[in-house]
Amino acid sequence: MPSGNLSRESTVTVTCDGLVAPRSPSDDVDSILGHIVPDEGIELLLGEPTNRCQSKRLIIAVDFGTTYSAVSFMSLAEGENAELVGSDRILSIKNFPGDSARDMNDRMRDEVPTEVIYPLNRRFRSEGEWDSLQTSQVDGPANGDEDEGPELSQTQTMDVDMTDYEEIFDEAEFRTIAQPFQWGYKVHEAWRFPDTHFDKTNQALSRFKLLLDTSQTTEAVRTQVAPTFEALAAKKIIKGPLTVIADYLTCLLRHTKSELRTRGFDDSYPVELVMCVPAIWSQKACRDMQTAMAKAMQQAQFQGVDIQNNSIENLFIVSEPEAAAAYVLATDHTIRPHDTFVLLDAGGGTVDANTYTVSQTTPLRLTSEVVEPGGGLYGSSYLNEAFQAMLLERLENETYLEHDKITLRGIVETIVLRDFEQDLKRNFDIYDTNKLAKRFVVYGLRDDRKKGFRNSCIYVKFDTIKDIFMKCLEGIESIMRNQIQTALDKGVVVDKVILIGGFAASISLQRYLRKYLDAISTYNNCHIRLVVPENQVTAVASGAVLRALNKEQGPRRLARSSYGILRTEPFMDYPEHSGLKPSYDRYDGLPCIKNTIDWVLKKGVEVHPVWRCEPFLSSHLFPCKRSTPLLCKEVLYVSDTSTESHYRESHAKNRGAEEVGAIEVDFSFLRDQGLIRPVEPDEDEQGRKVGQRHYKVEYNMIIQVVDRDLRCYAIYNNEVIKKCRINIASAFSPGAK
């Protein structure tokens, strides 16, 4: 096995550009070994450090949401000035499989549910169903127009004689009715069928984005979905949360690619991917999200992905509130210099609030966050849950409705998706003076005036529905109120509250917030206006595209993670070795400390757009065997806490450090071409040989950061033998250039 001295290894996403042997090796190769490349020659050796501009490109922004997700994009032509491109050029992906929206202009069609259903069959991937499923969903008819066979009512069952359909459907067509994996609107569509609820092998998952958030706020949700994850993991269908996220994103990106192709965009367009993340996410969560995104891009056959090292070329990460604010500044012409506004993002799961002050100059820029961000779990999906629980309670004794594959849960789920989600939730007004009860069809329901059952309908009082709404509305109002009051306590008056997200379309939410703003404005002798942008559903994804166009608005480039290299260091070269028991290298016999980490790029350091560490020497020892390849591997590590070098990887100071990538170079050509000679073992004071005959390979390493790429160079004989490019966007604050 090779042994490395002073070898450094790194942990990032790596895209290797290939191995190049020296063009004209020196007659005396040994004379250049061990020499550090002179600083004045580095720039010439490494070439132009900046990224070359693309002649044309696609900017694709993915807003992976708790309950709904969206994708926006924009194309740039050759030579086009990105700074002059307007927000009107931003488009959104639509036509999601299973989307049955009645109104083709409904903005809710710009997003898709973040939900999946797994079969309890670990072979569904290997049997080819995974790939064929995604292709059929992406390339098939959209908007529920596909021919899926007879639609079943709640009183019908799937217990039919298959021969009755022999002349209409073949077996493959029946499989399309009950596909083994579902995502997005297909999940909602599946819940309309009785067998989905009856079949216990169906494992549905939602809100799995929150598994990346380890805060106390999401603990209840993580606890709730844990049993389903455990069941799927036990069946070896998934390995963990990242598997589910990657599976969902694969479907989302495959559909995106299909839609882009219909618009004439093929693989000749280089892609810049923008990933939207919550502002409160840790660097670990951002890296995990990048890992899942890289896997999904590979499975969706996007170019520029190195799955082995989770690397994505041209990846830009931006925080969700920052992206939304960029969209607001670009589209709301009522915002003026000096204005302060609360950005209230009311989605399906979480509701987040940020308060910003606008700069004094044009173009408008955000100067600062006035108060700490706020948020809570008051999204619109909790209305669905509460409404569903109420119906189940009302119907719990009506067991006569259950027969064959019809279940009470299935009946209620159909009402929630068909009537509550599509119609009532958006149009219900808590201030409606008529206060009429709402009725929902339940076929076969027996009349019972005390329970509100009549004519196969269940009647729900106006006040009952209002109470369901009020819990979420009061929670959102408290988040908004805290932002406004905290700003006032600091002497800053809020001018506007800008409401975005899927819940923003709710009439009840809009009216409730306006009434509170009128009251607080009167009390404080000011005027705070509620603004609901026209495109509130995709404000985050659209704003992310705008931020990618103009990255100069981003925060300072402070490293939020440390990146280091695994080393074998000569014993006592550093004071950190004191008190340690050394190992003795089997080849040169010298004492050393193995598996230490040298943190080359340290957390907290400001990293300029082009940053470079000092060149360092890497040395590897090999046995004198022709059968042993001279493979030199440098392994990269990342940590969100470590900054002190020369401690072993297992030391407490490196707790939590993770391997994130590697660069490997085959130097066998040096031996095969006679460019290096075996090193004979030394003798100690007693004349005994120390170590054994071996080959020694030495080369220079340089680590450079260019924008959001970390680049590693292996240099031998003043020639770049191998170079790697690793995207470390997750090492900086979201939005940093």
Side-chain angles (χ1 to χ4, degrees), residues 458-485:
I458 179 172
Y459 284 73
V460 181
K461 292 182 178 180
F462 176 89
D463 287 340
T464 300
I465 301 175
K466 179 179 178 180
D467 289 342
I468 289 174
F469 269 76
M470 287 305 297
K471 183 177 180 180
C472 287
L473 300 187
E474 289 171 352
I476 295 172
E477 181 264 313
S478 68
I479 293 172
M480 180 186 72
R481 179 177 69 248
N482 184 66
Q483 293 285 304
I484 295 172
Q485 190 59 54

PDB file of all heavy atoms in Angstrom, residues 458-485:
ATOM      1  N   ILE A 458     -72.582  15.578   4.008  1.00  0.00           N
ATOM      2  CA  ILE A 458     -72.235  15.996   5.353  1.00  0.00           C
ATOM      3  C   ILE A 458     -72.147  17.514   5.343  1.00  0.00           C
ATOM      4  O   ILE A 458     -71.449  18.099   4.500  1.00  0.00           O
ATOM      5  CB  ILE A 458     -70.914  15.348   5.836  1.00  0.00           C
ATOM      6  CG1 ILE A 458     -70.569  15.829   7.245  1.00  0.00           C
ATOM      7  CG2 ILE A 458     -69.770  15.599   4.872  1.00  0.00           C
ATOM      8  CD1 ILE A 458     -69.387  15.089   7.864  1.00  0.00           C
ATOM      9  N   TYR A 459     -72.903  18.158   6.255  1.00  0.00           N
ATOM     10  CA  TYR A 459     -72.922  19.611   6.329  1.00  0.00           C
ATOM     11  C   TYR A 459     -71.949  20.074   7.426  1.00  0.00           C
ATOM     12  O   TYR A 459     -71.970  19.539   8.539  1.00  0.00           O
ATOM     13  CB  TYR A 459     -74.328  20.128   6.637  1.00  0.00           C
ATOM     14  CG  TYR A 459     -75.261  20.090   5.453  1.00  0.00           C
ATOM     15  CD1 TYR A 459     -75.776  18.872   4.997  1.00  0.00           C
ATOM     16  CD2 TYR A 459     -75.618  21.254   4.778  1.00  0.00           C
ATOM     17  CE1 TYR A 459     -76.628  18.821   3.902  1.00  0.00           C
ATOM     18  CE2 TYR A 459     -76.473  21.209   3.684  1.00  0.00           C
ATOM     19  CZ  TYR A 459     -76.972  20.000   3.248  1.00  0.00           C
ATOM     20  OH  TYR A 459     -77.808  19.965   2.162  1.00  0.00           O
ATOM     21  N   VAL A 460     -71.116  21.055   7.084  1.00  0.00           N
ATOM     22  CA  VAL A 460     -70.142  21.590   8.044  1.00  0.00           C
ATOM     23  C   VAL A 460     -70.465  23.065   8.254  1.00  0.00           C
ATOM     24  O   VAL A 460     -70.540  23.844   7.292  1.00  0.00           O
ATOM     25  CB  VAL A 460     -68.699  21.438   7.540  1.00  0.00           C
ATOM     26  CG1 VAL A 460     -67.714  21.977   8.566  1.00  0.00           C
ATOM     27  CG2 VAL A 460     -68.391  19.979   7.222  1.00  0.00           C
ATOM     28  N   LYS A 461     -70.660  23.447   9.507  1.00  0.00           N
ATOM     29  CA  LYS A 461     -71.026  24.828   9.818  1.00  0.00           C
ATOM     30  C   LYS A 461     -69.908  25.806   9.454  1.00  0.00           C
ATOM     31  O   LYS A 461     -68.734  25.467   9.504  1.00  0.00           O
ATOM     32  CB  LYS A 461     -71.369  24.960  11.301  1.00  0.00           C
ATOM     33  CG  LYS A 461     -72.649  24.244  11.721  1.00  0.00           C
ATOM     34  CD  LYS A 461     -72.949  24.466  13.192  1.00  0.00           C
ATOM     35  CE  LYS A 461     -74.260  23.791  13.594  1.00  0.00           C
ATOM     36  NZ  LYS A 461     -74.552  24.008  15.030  1.00  0.00           N
ATOM     37  N   PHE A 462     -70.331  27.005   9.129  1.00  0.00           N
ATOM     38  CA  PHE A 462     -69.413  28.085   8.780  1.00  0.00           C
ATOM     39  C   PHE A 462     -68.400  28.310   9.903  1.00  0.00           C
ATOM     40  O   PHE A 462     -67.192  28.417   9.662  1.00  0.00           O
ATOM     41  CB  PHE A 462     -70.194  29.366   8.502  1.00  0.00           C
ATOM     42  CG  PHE A 462     -69.328  30.564   8.226  1.00  0.00           C
ATOM     43  CD1 PHE A 462     -68.907  30.862   6.937  1.00  0.00           C
ATOM     44  CD2 PHE A 462     -68.943  31.414   9.262  1.00  0.00           C
ATOM     45  CE1 PHE A 462     -68.117  31.979   6.682  1.00  0.00           C
ATOM     46  CE2 PHE A 462     -68.148  32.523   9.008  1.00  0.00           C
ATOM     47  CZ  PHE A 462     -67.728  32.802   7.724  1.00  0.00           C
ATOM     48  N   ASP A 463     -68.890  28.386  11.148  1.00  0.00           N
ATOM     49  CA  ASP A 463     -68.004  28.672  12.276  1.00  0.00           C
ATOM     50  C   ASP A 463     -66.983  27.550  12.511  1.00  0.00           C
ATOM     51  O   ASP A 463     -65.879  27.803  12.999  1.00  0.00           O
ATOM     52  CB  ASP A 463     -68.813  28.903  13.547  1.00  0.00           C
ATOM     53  CG  ASP A 463     -69.526  30.250  13.526  1.00  0.00           C
ATOM     54  OD1 ASP A 463     -69.103  31.123  12.736  1.00  0.00           O
ATOM     55  OD2 ASP A 463     -70.502  30.426  14.290  1.00  0.00           O
ATOM     56  N   THR A 464     -67.349  26.327  12.171  1.00  0.00           N
ATOM     57  CA  THR A 464     -66.409  25.209  12.310  1.00  0.00           C
ATOM     58  C   THR A 464     -65.229  25.387  11.364  1.00  0.00           C
ATOM     59  O   THR A 464     -64.062  25.194  11.746  1.00  0.00           O
ATOM     60  CB  THR A 464     -67.109  23.870  12.028  1.00  0.00           C
ATOM     61  OG1 THR A 464     -68.185  23.698  12.956  1.00  0.00           O
ATOM     62  CG2 THR A 464     -66.125  22.717  12.150  1.00  0.00           C
ATOM     63  N   ILE A 465     -65.528  25.757  10.125  1.00  0.00           N
ATOM     64  CA  ILE A 465     -64.463  25.989   9.150  1.00  0.00           C
ATOM     65  C   ILE A 465     -63.648  27.214   9.541  1.00  0.00           C
ATOM     66  O   ILE A 465     -62.409  27.237   9.429  1.00  0.00           O
ATOM     67  CB  ILE A 465     -65.058  26.153   7.737  1.00  0.00           C
ATOM     68  CG1 ILE A 465     -65.850  24.899   7.342  1.00  0.00           C
ATOM     69  CG2 ILE A 465     -63.949  26.433   6.718  1.00  0.00           C
ATOM     70  CD1 ILE A 465     -66.567  25.016   6.015  1.00  0.00           C
ATOM     71  N   LYS A 466     -64.336  28.243  10.028  1.00  0.00           N
ATOM     72  CA  LYS A 466     -63.631  29.452  10.449  1.00  0.00           C
ATOM     73  C   LYS A 466     -62.637  29.145  11.566  1.00  0.00           C
ATOM     74  O   LYS A 466     -61.501  29.654  11.560  1.00  0.00           O
ATOM     75  CB  LYS A 466     -64.637  30.509  10.918  1.00  0.00           C
ATOM     76  CG  LYS A 466     -63.980  31.805  11.395  1.00  0.00           C
ATOM     77  CD  LYS A 466     -65.027  32.832  11.828  1.00  0.00           C
ATOM     78  CE  LYS A 466     -64.349  34.107  12.357  1.00  0.00           C
ATOM     79  NZ  LYS A 466     -65.355  35.115  12.776  1.00  0.00           N
ATOM     80  N   ASP A 467     -63.043  28.316  12.522  1.00  0.00           N
ATOM     81  CA  ASP A 467     -62.140  27.958  13.617  1.00  0.00           C
ATOM     82  C   ASP A 467     -60.895  27.255  13.102  1.00  0.00           C
ATOM     83  O   ASP A 467     -59.792  27.443  13.633  1.00  0.00           O
ATOM     84  CB  ASP A 467     -62.865  27.057  14.624  1.00  0.00           C
ATOM     85  CG  ASP A 467     -63.923  27.817  15.428  1.00  0.00           C
ATOM     86  OD1 ASP A 467     -63.860  29.063  15.454  1.00  0.00           O
ATOM     87  OD2 ASP A 467     -64.815  27.161  16.009  1.00  0.00           O
ATOM     88  N   ILE A 468     -61.076  26.420  12.070  1.00  0.00           N
ATOM     89  CA  ILE A 468     -59.920  25.738  11.475  1.00  0.00           C
ATOM     90  C   ILE A 468     -58.958  26.755  10.887  1.00  0.00           C
ATOM     91  O   ILE A 468     -57.735  26.657  11.056  1.00  0.00           O
ATOM     92  CB  ILE A 468     -60.400  24.739  10.397  1.00  0.00           C
ATOM     93  CG1 ILE A 468     -61.100  23.558  11.064  1.00  0.00           C
ATOM     94  CG2 ILE A 468     -59.235  24.275   9.530  1.00  0.00           C
ATOM     95  CD1 ILE A 468     -61.747  22.592  10.090  1.00  0.00           C
ATOM     96  N   PHE A 469     -59.508  27.768  10.208  1.00  0.00           N
ATOM     97  CA  PHE A 469     -58.671  28.803   9.603  1.00  0.00           C
ATOM     98  C   PHE A 469     -57.976  29.659  10.659  1.00  0.00           C
ATOM     99  O   PHE A 469     -56.815  30.036  10.503  1.00  0.00           O
ATOM    100  CB  PHE A 469     -59.515  29.698   8.692  1.00  0.00           C
ATOM    101  CG  PHE A 469     -59.579  29.244   7.265  1.00  0.00           C
ATOM    102  CD1 PHE A 469     -60.372  28.170   6.904  1.00  0.00           C
ATOM    103  CD2 PHE A 469     -58.832  29.881   6.282  1.00  0.00           C
ATOM    104  CE1 PHE A 469     -60.436  27.746   5.590  1.00  0.00           C
ATOM    105  CE2 PHE A 469     -58.874  29.466   4.966  1.00  0.00           C
ATOM    106  CZ  PHE A 469     -59.685  28.389   4.610  1.00  0.00           C
ATOM    107  N   MET A 470     -58.664  29.947  11.727  1.00  0.00           N
ATOM    108  CA  MET A 470     -58.167  30.945  12.677  1.00  0.00           C
ATOM    109  C   MET A 470     -56.840  30.546  13.325  1.00  0.00           C
ATOM    110  O   MET A 470     -56.000  31.399  13.597  1.00  0.00           O
ATOM    111  CB  MET A 470     -59.223  31.221  13.760  1.00  0.00           C
ATOM    112  CG  MET A 470     -60.403  32.029  13.257  1.00  0.00           C
ATOM    113  SD  MET A 470     -59.930  33.597  12.472  1.00  0.00           S
ATOM    114  CE  MET A 470     -59.167  34.450  13.844  1.00  0.00           C
ATOM    115  N   LYS A 471     -56.639  29.268  13.582  1.00  0.00           N
ATOM    116  CA  LYS A 471     -55.385  28.863  14.218  1.00  0.00           C
ATOM    117  C   LYS A 471     -54.191  29.249  13.359  1.00  0.00           C
ATOM    118  O   LYS A 471     -53.197  29.776  13.858  1.00  0.00           O
ATOM    119  CB  LYS A 471     -55.390  27.353  14.480  1.00  0.00           C
ATOM    120  CG  LYS A 471     -54.140  26.875  15.207  1.00  0.00           C
ATOM    121  CD  LYS A 471     -54.202  25.398  15.530  1.00  0.00           C
ATOM    122  CE  LYS A 471     -52.940  24.962  16.264  1.00  0.00           C
ATOM    123  NZ  LYS A 471     -52.969  23.512  16.596  1.00  0.00           N
ATOM    124  N   CYS A 472     -54.295  29.004  12.051  1.00  0.00           N
ATOM    125  CA  CYS A 472     -53.200  29.368  11.143  1.00  0.00           C
ATOM    126  C   CYS A 472     -53.116  30.879  10.963  1.00  0.00           C
ATOM    127  O   CYS A 472     -52.022  31.460  10.965  1.00  0.00           O
ATOM    128  CB  CYS A 472     -53.381  28.686   9.784  1.00  0.00           C
ATOM    129  SG  CYS A 472     -53.025  26.912   9.801  1.00  0.00           S
ATOM    130  N   LEU A 473     -54.272  31.530  10.808  1.00  0.00           N
ATOM    131  CA  LEU A 473     -54.265  32.981  10.589  1.00  0.00           C
ATOM    132  C   LEU A 473     -53.673  33.711  11.782  1.00  0.00           C
ATOM    133  O   LEU A 473     -52.894  34.653  11.627  1.00  0.00           O
ATOM    134  CB  LEU A 473     -55.688  33.480  10.327  1.00  0.00           C
ATOM    135  CG  LEU A 473     -56.422  32.898   9.098  1.00  0.00           C
ATOM    136  CD1 LEU A 473     -57.743  33.622   8.883  1.00  0.00           C
ATOM    137  CD2 LEU A 473     -55.562  32.964   7.852  1.00  0.00           C
ATOM    138  N   GLU A 474     -54.044  33.294  12.984  1.00  0.00           N
ATOM    139  CA  GLU A 474     -53.519  33.945  14.189  1.00  0.00           C
ATOM    140  C   GLU A 474     -52.013  33.698  14.326  1.00  0.00           C
ATOM    141  O   GLU A 474     -51.268  34.585  14.752  1.00  0.00           O
ATOM    142  CB  GLU A 474     -54.259  33.430  15.418  1.00  0.00           C
ATOM    143  CG  GLU A 474     -55.692  33.919  15.510  1.00  0.00           C
ATOM    144  CD  GLU A 474     -56.473  33.224  16.621  1.00  0.00           C
ATOM    145  OE1 GLU A 474     -55.927  32.255  17.204  1.00  0.00           O
ATOM    146  OE2 GLU A 474     -57.619  33.644  16.908  1.00  0.00           O
ATOM    147  N   GLY A 475     -51.557  32.496  13.934  1.00  0.00           N
ATOM    148  CA  GLY A 475     -50.125  32.215  13.987  1.00  0.00           C
ATOM    149  C   GLY A 475     -49.345  33.083  13.016  1.00  0.00           C
ATOM    150  O   GLY A 475     -48.278  33.623  13.356  1.00  0.00           O
ATOM    151  N   ILE A 476     -49.873  33.243  11.812  1.00  0.00           N
ATOM    152  CA  ILE A 476     -49.197  34.086  10.811  1.00  0.00           C
ATOM    153  C   ILE A 476     -49.209  35.552  11.246  1.00  0.00           C
ATOM    154  O   ILE A 476     -48.209  36.256  11.114  1.00  0.00           O
ATOM    155  CB  ILE A 476     -49.879  33.922   9.437  1.00  0.00           C
ATOM    156  CG1 ILE A 476     -49.705  32.480   8.936  1.00  0.00           C
ATOM    157  CG2 ILE A 476     -49.306  34.907   8.424  1.00  0.00           C
ATOM    158  CD1 ILE A 476     -50.502  32.154   7.694  1.00  0.00           C
ATOM    159  N   GLU A 477     -50.338  35.992  11.766  1.00  0.00           N
ATOM    160  CA  GLU A 477     -50.423  37.388  12.229  1.00  0.00           C
ATOM    161  C   GLU A 477     -49.432  37.655  13.362  1.00  0.00           C
ATOM    162  O   GLU A 477     -48.817  38.720  13.423  1.00  0.00           O
ATOM    163  CB  GLU A 477     -51.860  37.665  12.694  1.00  0.00           C
ATOM    164  CG  GLU A 477     -52.097  39.085  13.188  1.00  0.00           C
ATOM    165  CD  GLU A 477     -51.978  39.164  14.704  1.00  0.00           C
ATOM    166  OE1 GLU A 477     -52.564  38.297  15.387  1.00  0.00           O
ATOM    167  OE2 GLU A 477     -51.292  40.078  15.196  1.00  0.00           O
ATOM    168  N   SER A 478     -49.227  36.675  14.244  1.00  0.00           N
ATOM    169  CA  SER A 478     -48.278  36.870  15.343  1.00  0.00           C
ATOM    170  C   SER A 478     -46.853  36.980  14.826  1.00  0.00           C
ATOM    171  O   SER A 478     -46.042  37.757  15.354  1.00  0.00           O
ATOM    172  CB  SER A 478     -48.398  35.722  16.348  1.00  0.00           C
ATOM    173  OG  SER A 478     -47.936  34.502  15.798  1.00  0.00           O
ATOM    174  N   ILE A 479     -46.523  36.218  13.786  1.00  0.00           N
ATOM    175  CA  ILE A 479     -45.186  36.308  13.175  1.00  0.00           C
ATOM    176  C   ILE A 479     -44.988  37.687  12.563  1.00  0.00           C
ATOM    177  O   ILE A 479     -43.949  38.334  12.757  1.00  0.00           O
ATOM    178  CB  ILE A 479     -45.019  35.210  12.102  1.00  0.00           C
ATOM    179  CG1 ILE A 479     -45.008  33.825  12.763  1.00  0.00           C
ATOM    180  CG2 ILE A 479     -43.732  35.427  11.312  1.00  0.00           C
ATOM    181  CD1 ILE A 479     -45.039  32.678  11.777  1.00  0.00           C
ATOM    182  N   MET A 480     -45.996  38.155  11.823  1.00  0.00           N
ATOM    183  CA  MET A 480     -45.927  39.473  11.207  1.00  0.00           C
ATOM    184  C   MET A 480     -45.869  40.569  12.269  1.00  0.00           C
ATOM    185  O   MET A 480     -45.083  41.521  12.164  1.00  0.00           O
ATOM    186  CB  MET A 480     -47.135  39.679  10.298  1.00  0.00           C
ATOM    187  CG  MET A 480     -47.167  41.034   9.591  1.00  0.00           C
ATOM    188  SD  MET A 480     -48.702  41.296   8.646  1.00  0.00           S
ATOM    189  CE  MET A 480     -49.879  41.533   9.998  1.00  0.00           C
ATOM    190  N   ARG A 481     -46.706  40.444  13.298  1.00  0.00           N
ATOM    191  CA  ARG A 481     -46.752  41.467  14.348  1.00  0.00           C
ATOM    192  C   ARG A 481     -45.402  41.590  15.051  1.00  0.00           C
ATOM    193  O   ARG A 481     -44.947  42.694  15.343  1.00  0.00           O
ATOM    194  CB  ARG A 481     -47.842  41.097  15.372  1.00  0.00           C
ATOM    195  CG  ARG A 481     -47.954  42.105  16.528  1.00  0.00           C
ATOM    196  CD  ARG A 481     -49.072  41.756  17.487  1.00  0.00           C
ATOM    197  NE  ARG A 481     -48.796  40.556  18.255  1.00  0.00           N
ATOM    198  CZ  ARG A 481     -49.448  39.409  18.132  1.00  0.00           C
ATOM    199  NH1 ARG A 481     -50.433  39.303  17.271  1.00  0.00           N
ATOM    200  NH2 ARG A 481     -49.142  38.370  18.882  1.00  0.00           N
ATOM    201  N   ASN A 482     -44.756  40.476  15.304  1.00  0.00           N
ATOM    202  CA  ASN A 482     -43.459  40.509  15.977  1.00  0.00           C
ATOM    203  C   ASN A 482     -42.419  41.250  15.149  1.00  0.00           C
ATOM    204  O   ASN A 482     -41.601  42.012  15.684  1.00  0.00           O
ATOM    205  CB  ASN A 482     -42.992  39.084  16.264  1.00  0.00           C
ATOM    206  CG  ASN A 482     -41.696  39.059  17.046  1.00  0.00           C
ATOM    207  OD1 ASN A 482     -41.632  39.481  18.190  1.00  0.00           O
ATOM    208  ND2 ASN A 482     -40.654  38.547  16.415  1.00  0.00           N
ATOM    209  N   GLN A 483     -42.459  41.061  13.825  1.00  0.00           N
ATOM    210  CA  GLN A 483     -41.524  41.768  12.950  1.00  0.00           C
ATOM    211  C   GLN A 483     -41.772  43.278  12.997  1.00  0.00           C
ATOM    212  O   GLN A 483     -40.840  44.078  13.143  1.00  0.00           O
ATOM    213  CB  GLN A 483     -41.669  41.261  11.508  1.00  0.00           C
ATOM    214  CG  GLN A 483     -41.223  39.831  11.292  1.00  0.00           C
ATOM    215  CD  GLN A 483     -39.721  39.671  11.270  1.00  0.00           C
ATOM    216  OE1 GLN A 483     -39.023  40.306  10.489  1.00  0.00           O
ATOM    217  NE2 GLN A 483     -39.194  38.824  12.147  1.00  0.00           N
ATOM    218  N   ILE A 484     -43.036  43.669  12.891  1.00  0.00           N
ATOM    219  CA  ILE A 484     -43.378  45.098  12.863  1.00  0.00           C
ATOM    220  C   ILE A 484     -43.061  45.766  14.197  1.00  0.00           C
ATOM    221  O   ILE A 484     -42.461  46.851  14.243  1.00  0.00           O
ATOM    222  CB  ILE A 484     -44.867  45.280  12.505  1.00  0.00           C
ATOM    223  CG1 ILE A 484     -45.129  44.787  11.078  1.00  0.00           C
ATOM    224  CG2 ILE A 484     -45.285  46.735  12.649  1.00  0.00           C
ATOM    225  CD1 ILE A 484     -46.600  44.757  10.708  1.00  0.00           C
ATOM    226  N   GLN A 485     -43.442  45.093  15.297  1.00  0.00           N
ATOM    227  CA  GLN A 485     -43.243  45.699  16.610  1.00  0.00           C
ATOM    228  C   GLN A 485     -41.761  45.798  16.967  1.00  0.00           C
ATOM    229  O   GLN A 485     -41.314  46.801  17.531  1.00  0.00           O
ATOM    230  CB  GLN A 485     -43.978  44.883  17.672  1.00  0.00           C
ATOM    231  CG  GLN A 485     -44.040  45.566  19.027  1.00  0.00           C
ATOM    232  CD  GLN A 485     -44.726  46.922  18.981  1.00  0.00           C
ATOM    233  OE1 GLN A 485     -45.859  47.026  18.502  1.00  0.00           O
ATOM    234  NE2 GLN A 485     -44.033  47.969  19.432  1.00  0.00           N
TER     235      GLN A 485
END
